[in-house]
Amino acid sequence: MSLFGLKFGKKKLKEEERQLQANNRDFNLQFEYANNSIKTSKYNFFTFLPLNLFEQFQRIANAYFLFLLILQLIPQISSLAWFTTVVPLVLVLAVSGVKDAIDDFNRHKSDKHVNNRPVQVLINGMLKDEKWMNVQVGDIIKLENNNFVTADLLLLSSSEPHSLTYIETAELDGETNLKVKQALTVTAELGEDLQKLTEFNGEVKCEAPNNKLDKFTGTLTLRGEKYALDNEKMLLRGCTIRNTEWCFGLVIYAGPDTKLMQNSGKTTFKRTSIDRLMNVLVLVIFAFLGLMCLILAIGNGIWEYDKGYYFQVYLPWAEGVSSASYSGFLMFWSYVIILNTVVPISLYVSVEIIRLGNSFYIDWDRKMYYPLNDTPAQARTTTLNEELGQIKYIFSDKTGTLTQNIMCFNKCSINGKSYGDVYDMSGQRIEINENTEKVDFSYNQLADPKFAFYDHSLVEAVKLGDVPTHRFFRLLSLCHTVMPEEKKEGNLVYQAQSPDEGALVTAARNFGFVFRARTPETITVVEMGETKVYKLLAILDFNNVRKRMSVIVRSPEGDLTLYCKGADTILYELLHSSCDSLKEETTEHLNEFAGEALRTLVVAYKNLDEDYFQDWIRRHHEASTALEGREEKLSELYEEIEKDLMLLGATAIEDKLQDGVPQTIETLAKANIKIWVLTGDKQETAMNIGYSCNLLHDDMEDVFIIEGHTSDDVLNELRNARKKMKPDSFLDSDEINIQFEKSSKNPKIIPDEQANGVYGLVITGHSLAYALEGNLEVELVRTACMCKVVICCRVTPLQKAQVVELVKKYKKAVTLAIGDGANDVSMIKTAHIGVGISGQEGMQAVLSSDFSFAQFRYLQRLLLVHGRWSYIRMCKFLKYFFYKNFAFTLVHFWYGFFSGFSAQTVYDEWFITLYNLVYTSLPVLGMSLFDQDVDDRWSMLFPQLYVPGQQNLYFNRMVFVKCMLQGIYSSLILFFIPYGAMYNTVRSDGKAIADYQSFALMAQTCLLIVVSVQIGLDTSYWTVVNQFFIWGSLSVYFAITFTMYSDGMYLIFTASFPFVGTARNTLSQPNVWLAIFLSITLCVLPVVGFRFLKAQLKPTPSDKVLLKIKEAKKRPPPPSPKRRLRRTSTRRSGYAFSHQHGFGALIMSGRNMRPKSPFATTGTFSPNSDKYKHKVL
């Protein structure tokens, strides 16, 4: 049963196998499969209060204050009113609760938006509009072009030939290239006939819900026949239907059972390392508090036994107290209440205010605002700011995060001449910017208006009819697997399997070789205004071994030609010997292109002999229909014909990075932050982007590639890599080996190991699956963390989260995950800090993130400026807060030895109430919200300043002990100097001032001035606000003190203000101010001396950088010129990285062809004809 959103009763059995029937809800309901409603929120209306309070009371301090409240309700031991604890405790819980409620409300809002999307469901023979959340397993639904896929569906039929359906999987794996799915022939016959679809009663048996995106096994039983089902027939939730008018699907998995949701990870309660440390420190303080109370309680028992018994008339025992030991017991709890200010509840209120304030700085930062789509940076969680200053590992998605996923034809080399650069009148190369004049393609009616090129000489070569140039662009217009779409005449849209291919075909289109249409047997190209139809005789398909593709075509003139494009390392081996000199020139150009991080490939052709080709095509047909060894036979035939090719040139495509990505990565690397790229893309793509971003570079000692297909292979590859980086790590004397030899079930933290150089690591998804297994994960962490850069390619969303979890498990480091798509949600949730980029892949990543912005480059400002400042401010705040409260509270402890351990307070009751609330709250908040050791410009120029945060140097257990000792020392000075100054002292007129009230006033005045001077020493950046808060707090103290200790207040509230006249009597004495000055000097002088000597004799790396900055400020450096980061590299990319193997065969079969476009007709096309003339304005 369900009560208030909580489920009780029989636990649901784990699903072993899924069984369902189409169009039979009654049958499917018996299995209690989840419906299509999703839930990413943590609470509902009824569970919010208990769950949120449970989470908040995980803070030990909150639980302690609750315990303190209970003590204050006992009259025998209570020395303070109960509301002094209740009000601040309720305030803290309420502030945190409201913030959590708002966060969860936004998650509910997002869930509601998704769950209420409309979809057409087949019910009782009719299509009805239903909400997504009402869709159930076994339902048949209709999707249309550009619809999101509602659930995990078995594709039944579609509008395309042979029931093909084109989908985009950007939210699953980050890839925007189209993928093809195909229905079973037996279900394809259903078409869109609602009667047939309603009568369809197929039964599906398949695997239980899981997170494997690339795998599905099952069977469909229909009319007694069984049909095998695999992943090629599945449409997964998170995909988008493209170029398909309609399709029907059978719901297999719904809601939380879908593969997308199985990969999304759980919403966890994130807490910072400082939060966790504070929990430990609060326990230490409790122990210290207990020890002090125990000492004072024992002291009270002894004093009452020895002396107090004889003072019963003057100091009577409380009612019910019959012995000294019982008095000591009660006094223990009284002192617990009095000394509780060592952990004041205002600490947590202040922490929340500081975090909130620093979050607003992120929201308001104009330098993180992206005007193009009006997106400001946003701190979606206000509790993790200081963690941003401690990041050691960044886990980044590639597509949409580092790159824009836009391919641009940038440069090319044709017949030994390089095109693409722009030169001025003196022959000097000039940098291309938005003001550079673009090539005018208006002469070509079919040109793509979005295409930009700047080198006018290439257009001139085309117009002059240069043969090699024409042949080059003819090859680009013919040798590909792109599908054209022309719904309106002249308005061409290319659907490419790979973004690279789309860029190349678009370039050929603009330079006058327009790929217009294709059939299984022909390719129609408009060449310089003339429409030509080429016969397509064969496509020699791409695969990862060949790294090239070729087409064999017959021109309208009857010439047989093979056109080939591919990776230079492969094609150079296939060239005719007559191309040697051209090869050298082209190689120089390729090196230049690669130096600019462009993706390159080489193009070549070969004229074929008719007789030879007829013989070859016959053997090709035999090989393609062979039952055994088909792939090997075809490969041999491809090798045979792709020989003695004639080199035409090379192309260079820019995979556009987001602005400032290389500079950001370079800066973060200087801050000792390690970057891991986790991407669903192929290895070649990922590595190429690694070089483009300056993650990988040729100066590295080595880049290890882990691609083993068995557990042993992966282990050996990892060990070989580690052996090269640090041979000593295999010795028995190695501390990590010794640590892991000791048997313990708890995971060990692996300390950082230094490699003997700079290395990179690339690991593929299938190898990573083995490496994440229990016995290999330590090896993976040790090897990967020695490398400067790690790239994981072909990884699933869940693997991304597992990699992050692995580093969290074995490394004492703070992690950050950044991504922009639904496939990044799980790692964003898993990392200590999740950052979402509001990009082109939807808002799922942003909704699950802790911080969000529009561009990757803003990450350096988020970490190096806001993160670092937040961390330093929080550390300074905690150090000062613990110091001032130890100094304040321990004076009570020393006073106990002089007051018969009677739990009498040193200070006036009003001072105790207002000390943390009024007198010291604003100065520390001012420092914690405005302080900065250096401004944002220097923080970015010197990323090394970030390192102390990673090592947690500014606030740790040792720093806390120092604060504690400083507080104890100050409390001794603040008690004994006023005590000594007051002891047997008389005023100048002979009247005594050695009374309790004068001593209390002097002690509290000393304390307040000392802590005010201390915060002045701690402040690095003075503002009007800081000055106002510090001087204002002191002024308020004296104003309140003189007012409360006045005759008038005493007459009005006699019981509440007994310190009548104390202020004017005591503070008018010179010896009192001399004692105050002495106290301040003795408290502050050791601190100043220690800081000075430490900076001179043992400066930290941070001190050295700050000294450099101080010197640089005296002579400000000239502004650094903007430069484009370039790299020199001999590495060049392979071809068509996201190209799908087997797509060539699909084209040749014609199964994916639509009816022929009415515009793709043979004949002559002339841009100057009346039909295509346009007005010149």
Side-chain angles (χ1 to χ4, degrees):
M1 63 177 284
S2 177
L3 180 65
F4 305 142
L6 297 170
K7 289 190 179 178
F8 302 96
K10 197 170 111 177
K11 192 178 176 183
K12 190 178 174 183
L13 294 172
K14 189 181 175 185
E15 195 175 336
E16 299 288 340
E17 182 186 61
R18 176 151 295 201
Q19 183 179 355
L20 61 105
Q21 276 184 12
N23 293 313
N24 192 342
R25 282 193 172 185
D26 293 335
F27 175 82
N28 299 325
L29 281 172
Q30 66 178 314
F31 300 105
E32 296 182 5
Y33 296 138
N35 65 13
N36 205 39
S37 173
I38 62 159
K39 177 176 174 286
T40 59
S41 54
K42 291 199 287 186
Y43 317 110
N44 63 30
F45 182 79
F46 297 104
T47 60
F48 172 74
L49 200 61
L51 285 180
N52 189 259
L53 286 175
F54 173 74
E55 283 179 356
Q56 293 208 55
F57 281 112
Q58 284 183 332
R59 274 183 177 166
I60 293 171
N62 284 349
Y64 163 68
F65 290 121
L66 186 64
F67 170 67
L68 202 67
L69 173 62
I70 295 166
L71 287 182
Q72 285 182 305
L73 296 174
I74 303 170
Q76 284 88 347
I77 58 174
S78 177
S79 48
L80 293 169
W82 61 271
F83 55 79
T84 56
T85 301
V86 164
V87 174
L89 178 61
V90 169
L91 183 69
V92 170
L93 296 176
V95 168
S96 298
V98 167
K99 182 178 60 58
D100 290 339
I102 291 168
D103 287 346
D104 207 57
F105 175 74
N106 289 332
R107 282 191 284 266
H108 271 287
K109 205 170 164 186
S110 165
D111 291 347
K112 189 176 178 183
H113 172 71
V114 172
N115 288 333
N116 287 330
R117 282 178 181 164
V119 65
Q120 297 181 72
V121 182
L122 185 64
I123 299 173
N124 299 327
M126 294 173 63
L127 285 172
K128 292 184 181 176
D129 283 339
E130 272 284 6
K131 294 176 180 176
W132 274 29
M133 61 181 178
N134 296 330
V135 171
Q136 294 184 15
V137 171
D139 286 352
I140 291 178
I141 63 176
K142 181 184 181 181
L143 298 172
E144 294 176 346
N145 195 28
N146 296 326
N147 280 176
F148 289 110
V149 177
T150 311
D152 288 356
L153 311 175
L154 171 66
L155 178 61
L156 297 178
S157 62
S158 84
S159 58
E160 303 306 289
H162 303 278
S163 279
L164 294 177
T165 299
Y166 298 90
I167 58 166
E168 186 183 278
T169 59
E171 291 195 0
L172 288 174
D173 56 19
E175 292 186 8
T176 52
N177 55 294
L178 296 185
K179 294 182 173 63
V180 183
K181 301 289 183 177
Q182 185 175 14
L184 286 167
T185 311
V186 69
T187 61
E189 295 165 357
L190 300 171
E192 58 179 335
D193 187 327
L194 297 186
Q195 184 61 38
K196 286 183 180 177
L197 285 162
T198 306
E199 291 169 358
F200 176 70
N201 61 353
E203 188 171 318
V204 174
K205 285 187 179 178
C206 61
E207 60 196 12
N210 59 67
N211 51 43
K212 293 173 183 171
L213 292 172
D214 56 350
K215 184 172 171 282
F216 176 80
T217 54
T219 59
L220 168 68
T221 306
L222 184 64
R223 295 190 288 272
E225 293 289 326
K226 273 193 178 182
Y227 303 90
L229 303 177
D230 57 27
N231 205 46
E232 295 307 306
K233 297 168 183 62
M234 292 293 291
L235 305 178
L236 301 184
R237 181 176 180 140
C239 298
T240 309
I241 304 295
R242 298 285 190 218
N243 300 340
T244 307
E245 199 176 322
W246 54 261
C247 67
F248 284 88
L250 171 67
V251 178
I252 306 294
Y253 305 119
D257 291 342
T258 57
K259 290 183 185 283
L260 176 68
M261 295 306 294
Q262 291 275 313
N263 273 285
S264 67
K266 290 182 180 176
T267 302
T268 54
F269 178 59
K270 292 184 179 181
R271 292 160 65 213
T272 67
S273 54
I274 283 183
D275 267 341
R276 291 189 291 274
L277 177 61
M278 276 168 60
N279 261 357
V280 174
L281 295 182
V282 166
L283 284 174
V284 171
I285 292 170
F286 288 163
F288 183 64
L289 174 65
L291 180 64
M292 288 194 297
C293 294
L294 185 64
I295 291 168
L296 293 169
I298 292 169
N300 177 265
I302 294 169
W303 191 87
E304 291 287 0
Y305 180 78
D306 192 40
K307 305 269 184 179
Y309 185 78
Y310 304 104
F311 284 84
Q312 293 249 6
V313 175
Y314 175 60
L315 283 174
W317 285 352
E319 189 180 338
V321 177
S322 55
S323 67
S325 56
Y326 187 57
S327 172
F329 172 76
L330 292 179
M331 213 51 69
F332 175 87
W333 299 109
S334 295
Y335 270 115
V336 166
I337 294 170
I338 287 174
L339 301 179
N340 82 80
T341 46
V342 281
V343 192
I345 197 160
S346 59
L347 170 70
Y348 287 96
V349 179
S350 303
V351 165
E352 292 299 328
I353 292 170
I354 292 164
R355 285 173 172 166
L356 188 65
N358 285 313
S359 297
F360 282 133
Y361 290 149
I362 295 170
D363 294 345
W364 296 336
D365 192 342
R366 289 187 177 184
K367 291 180 180 175
M368 292 169 68
Y369 170 72
Y370 191 56
L372 289 183
N373 55 7
D374 188 29
T375 308
Q378 190 181 7
R380 296 173 51 78
T381 304
T382 57
T383 55
L384 303 171
N385 303 49
E386 68 271 12
E387 199 101 302
L388 290 170
Q390 299 178 273
I391 303 298
K392 186 69 181 287
Y393 291 91
I394 290 176
F395 300 90
S396 174
D397 177 39
K398 181 193 77 69
T399 309
T401 304
L402 300 177
T403 67
Q404 299 178 35
N405 207 35
I406 299 171
M407 302 292 177
C408 295
F409 182 83
N410 198 294
K411 294 181 181 180
C412 63
S413 170
I414 303 173
N415 201 31
K417 186 175 179 187
S418 177
Y419 296 97
D421 288 318
V422 181
Y423 298 88
D424 60 15
M425 300 299 288
S426 61
Q428 293 292 316
R429 189 164 73 173
I430 59 175
E431 190 165 336
I432 294 169
N433 55 41
E434 60 271 12
N435 299 320
T436 309
E437 186 190 357
K438 295 179 183 177
V439 171
D440 181 14
F441 291 110
S442 60
Y443 71 90
N444 180 358
Q445 282 291 314
L446 292 172
D448 184 345
K450 295 192 288 290
F451 180 82
F453 202 76
Y454 300 91
D455 187 355
H456 295 261
S457 62
L458 183 54
V459 180
E460 294 305 316
V462 172
K463 286 182 177 178
L464 291 170
D466 180 59
V467 174
T469 307
H470 276 220
R471 191 174 279 145
F472 178 87
F473 285 114
R474 185 177 296 119
L475 182 149
L476 295 186
S477 68
L478 292 169
C479 184
H480 55 77
T481 57
V482 173
M483 298 296 295
E485 192 172 1
E486 191 173 2
K487 289 187 177 174
K488 232 162 78 181
E489 187 168 358
N491 183 13
L492 272 169
V493 178
Y494 292 143
Q495 300 298 340
Q497 268 279 299
S498 142
D500 309 60
E501 287 216 305
L504 293 175
V505 177
T506 301
R509 167 185 175 179
N510 276 58
F511 283 103
F513 288 76
V514 184
F515 167 56
R516 193 84 187 267
R518 74 154 76 241
T519 71
E521 299 86 23
T522 64
I523 296 175
T524 304
V525 179
V526 180
E527 294 186 4
M528 301 306 290
E530 185 181 350
T531 302
K532 291 188 175 182
V533 179
Y534 288 84
K535 286 188 177 176
L536 178 60
L537 303 172
I539 294 180
L540 283 56
D541 209 358
F542 166 89
N543 65 34
N544 284 324
V545 178
R546 285 166 45 74
K547 293 188 179 176
R548 64 187 185 276
M549 79 158 288
S550 302
V551 295
I552 300 172
V553 296
R554 191 189 298 277
S555 70
E557 295 78 25
D559 298 327
L560 271 174
T561 313
L562 177 143
Y563 292 108
C564 181
K565 65 180 180 183
D568 57 308
T569 49
I570 303 292
L571 247 67
Y572 271 10
E573 302 297 318
L574 308 175
L575 295 179
H576 193 272
S577 56
S578 63
C579 299
D580 287 349
S581 60
L582 179 56
K583 187 159 72 170
E584 286 178 20
E585 292 172 353
T586 308
T587 301
E588 283 181 30
H589 296 154
L590 283 167
N591 288 335
E592 282 178 31
F593 300 157
E596 295 175 38
L598 301 176
R599 296 162 73 130
T600 59
L601 66 139
V602 169
V603 297
Y605 76 101
K606 177 183 180 181
N607 291 320
L608 298 175
D609 176 69
E610 182 70 43
D611 294 336
Y612 168 73
F613 174 71
Q614 292 302 331
D615 177 57
W616 183 89
I617 200 72
R618 179 184 55 77
R619 288 182 288 134
H620 176 269
H621 178 71
E622 289 172 3
S624 61
T625 54
L627 295 176
E628 291 181 7
R630 183 184 301 174
E631 292 295 325
E632 293 79 9
K633 288 175 182 175
L634 285 173
S635 181
E636 284 174 19
L637 281 169
Y638 293 167
E639 294 280 345
E640 178 192 315
I641 202 166
E642 290 172 328
K643 278 183 183 171
D644 297 331
L645 303 177
M646 302 303 293
L647 181 61
L648 269 175
T651 64
I653 293 173
E654 182 182 6
D655 185 358
K656 280 207 165 183
L657 296 173
Q658 286 198 9
D659 294 340
V661 166
Q663 293 91 333
T664 301
I665 284 171
E666 189 177 50
T667 305
L668 293 174
K670 286 178 185 171
N672 199 32
I673 295 172
K674 294 188 176 181
I675 298 177
W676 292 28
V677 177
L678 311 177
T679 176
D681 268 354
K682 291 187 179 177
Q683 181 183 318
E684 287 277 5
T685 320
M687 287 184 72
N688 197 64
I689 292 299
Y691 280 100
S692 306
C693 295
N694 285 354
L695 280 167
L696 301 174
H697 48 82
D698 288 340
D699 296 337
M700 284 183 160
E701 301 285 335
D702 201 352
V703 177
F704 304 111
I705 297 176
I706 311 298
E707 50 188 354
H709 286 273
T710 67
S711 184
D712 290 339
D713 289 346
V714 173
L715 180 62
N716 290 332
E717 288 173 352
L718 289 170
R719 284 188 170 165
N720 290 337
R722 180 156 65 91
K723 196 167 190 176
K724 184 169 182 179
M725 289 189 286
K726 190 183 178 187
D728 294 349
S729 64
F730 284 88
L731 299 176
D732 292 338
S733 57
D734 182 74
E735 60 172 300
I736 297 175
N737 292 337
I738 294 168
Q739 182 182 333
F740 275 89
E741 276 175 16
K742 294 176 183 176
S743 58
S744 172
K745 290 181 182 177
N746 296 327
K748 300 283 196 308
I749 297 297
I750 301 175
D752 287 341
E753 298 177 88
Q754 292 300 318
N756 54 21
V758 179
Y759 295 90
L761 182 83
V762 178
I763 182 166
T764 58
H766 56 80
S767 301
L768 186 64
Y770 292 113
L772 289 169
E773 290 174 359
N775 56 337
L776 284 186
E777 59 180 21
V778 173
E779 192 65 51
L780 174 64
V781 172
R782 288 190 69 178
T783 305
C785 291
M786 272 194 228
C787 298
K788 189 74 177 171
V789 174
V790 178
I791 297 176
C792 303
C793 41
R794 277 294 180 221
V795 292
T796 65
L798 189 69
Q799 281 180 323
K800 290 183 179 186
Q802 287 172 331
V803 170
V804 177
E805 189 60 55
L806 190 66
V807 174
K808 281 173 67 179
K809 180 180 175 183
Y810 286 107
K811 285 287 175 181
K812 193 178 181 182
V814 181
T815 59
L816 178 146
I818 179 168
D820 72 322
N823 57 321
D824 304 314
V825 167
S826 53
M827 83 171 171
I828 284 171
K829 286 180 177 178
T830 305
H832 293 103
I833 301 279
V835 177
I837 289 184
S838 39
Q840 299 173 350
E841 294 183 23
M843 293 294 285
Q844 283 87 344
V846 169
L847 292 170
S848 304
S849 66
D850 306 306
F851 301 89
S852 68
F853 41 70
Q855 294 278 290
F856 181 83
R857 68 176 184 270
Y858 298 146
L859 183 62
Q860 62 180 328
R861 187 168 177 83
L862 182 73
L863 301 187
L864 302 185
V865 178
H866 293 288
R868 189 173 157 277
W869 282 351
S870 295
Y871 172 68
I872 290 174
R873 288 165 182 167
M874 184 60 73
C875 293
K876 279 189 173 184
F877 165 78
L878 291 172
K879 285 192 286 189
Y880 175 75
F881 210 91
F882 283 124
Y883 161 72
K884 77 179 178 71
N885 282 293
F886 270 108
F888 168 72
T889 308
L890 263 74
V891 175
H892 288 300
F893 180 76
W894 309 124
Y895 183 60
F897 290 89
F898 295 84
S899 63
F901 307 97
S902 58
Q904 184 184 4
T905 56
V906 178
Y907 315 113
D908 169 26
E909 196 175 86
W910 285 102
F911 180 80
I912 294 172
T913 306
L914 298 174
Y915 177 72
N916 279 312
L917 197 65
V918 176
Y919 300 148
T920 61
S921 59
L922 289 180
V924 72
L925 283 177
M927 179 187 72
S928 306
L929 290 173
F930 300 107
D931 200 49
Q932 43 183 272
D933 53 349
V934 293
D935 64 24
D936 56 344
R937 188 168 65 95
W938 294 109
S939 292
M940 302 279 271
L941 282 174
F942 289 92
Q944 304 92 318
L945 287 168
Y946 190 80
V947 175
Q950 295 172 330
Q951 298 168 352
N952 215 9
L953 295 181
Y954 292 147
F955 190 76
N956 50 44
R957 293 179 191 187
M958 186 53 67
V959 170
F960 171 74
V961 169
K962 287 178 185 175
C963 293
M964 199 170 166
L965 293 174
Q966 186 190 352
I968 293 170
Y969 166 75
S970 293
S971 69
L972 283 164
I973 300 294
L974 292 169
F975 176 76
F976 285 103
I977 296 290
Y979 181 81
M982 286 284 174
Y983 192 70
N984 289 336
T985 303
V986 293
R987 293 191 331 188
S988 54
D989 59 3
K991 292 180 180 177
I993 56 169
D995 59 87
Y996 161 72
Q997 292 186 346
S998 299
F999 167 70
L1001 178 68
M1002 186 177 173
Q1004 65 197 38
T1005 305
C1006 283
L1007 169 70
L1008 198 62
I1009 296 175
V1010 164
V1011 296
S1012 297
V1013 172
Q1014 181 67 44
I1015 202 163
L1017 290 174
D1018 288 346
T1019 301
S1020 305
Y1021 182 71
W1022 285 93
T1023 64
V1024 175
V1025 177
N1026 293 78
Q1027 297 273 9
F1028 176 74
F1029 282 171
I1030 290 174
W1031 295 111
S1033 293
L1034 286 170
S1035 304
V1036 166
Y1037 165 69
F1038 285 111
I1040 289 176
T1041 300
F1042 277 97
T1043 303
M1044 289 198 308
Y1045 297 176
S1046 65
D1047 299 350
M1049 292 298 286
Y1050 175 73
L1051 292 171
I1052 299 168
F1053 304 104
T1054 307
S1056 300
F1057 299 102
F1059 279 42
V1060 60
T1062 307
R1064 63 175 180 267
N1065 290 336
T1066 307
L1067 296 179
S1068 61
Q1069 302 303 309
N1071 61 330
V1072 169
W1073 284 104
L1074 187 65
I1076 290 172
F1077 177 74
L1078 181 62
S1079 299
I1080 295 165
T1081 306
L1082 286 173
C1083 285
V1084 170
L1085 201 61
V1087 178
V1088 175
F1090 175 76
R1091 289 182 184 180
F1092 174 77
L1093 290 172
K1094 186 171 179 291
Q1096 295 298 316
L1097 303 176
K1098 199 179 176 184
T1100 62
S1102 189
D1103 291 332
K1104 293 173 185 173
V1105 174
L1106 289 169
L1107 187 65
K1108 276 186 195 174
I1109 291 172
K1110 204 173 281 184
E1111 290 169 0
K1113 279 180 180 175
K1114 293 172 187 173
R1115 47 177 197 286
S1120 54
K1122 287 185 180 178
R1123 62 191 179 90
R1124 188 175 175 188
L1125 278 167
R1126 298 168 71 91
R1127 66 183 179 90
T1128 53
S1129 171
T1130 54
R1131 181 191 180 280
R1132 292 188 289 279
S1133 67
Y1135 155 65
F1137 306 112
S1138 17
H1139 195 61
Q1140 194 172 330
H1141 174 57
F1143 203 65
L1146 188 64
I1147 286 173
M1148 293 294 287
S1149 70
R1151 284 183 290 142
N1152 64 332
M1153 297 296 173
R1154 288 193 178 87
K1156 201 181 246 187
S1157 165
F1159 310 115
T1161 53
T1162 307
T1164 302
F1165 165 81
S1166 170
N1168 299 316
S1169 68
D1170 293 336
K1171 189 177 177 182
Y1172 290 98
K1173 273 186 180 172
H1174 60 287
K1175 292 178 184 177
V1176 180
L1177 299 176

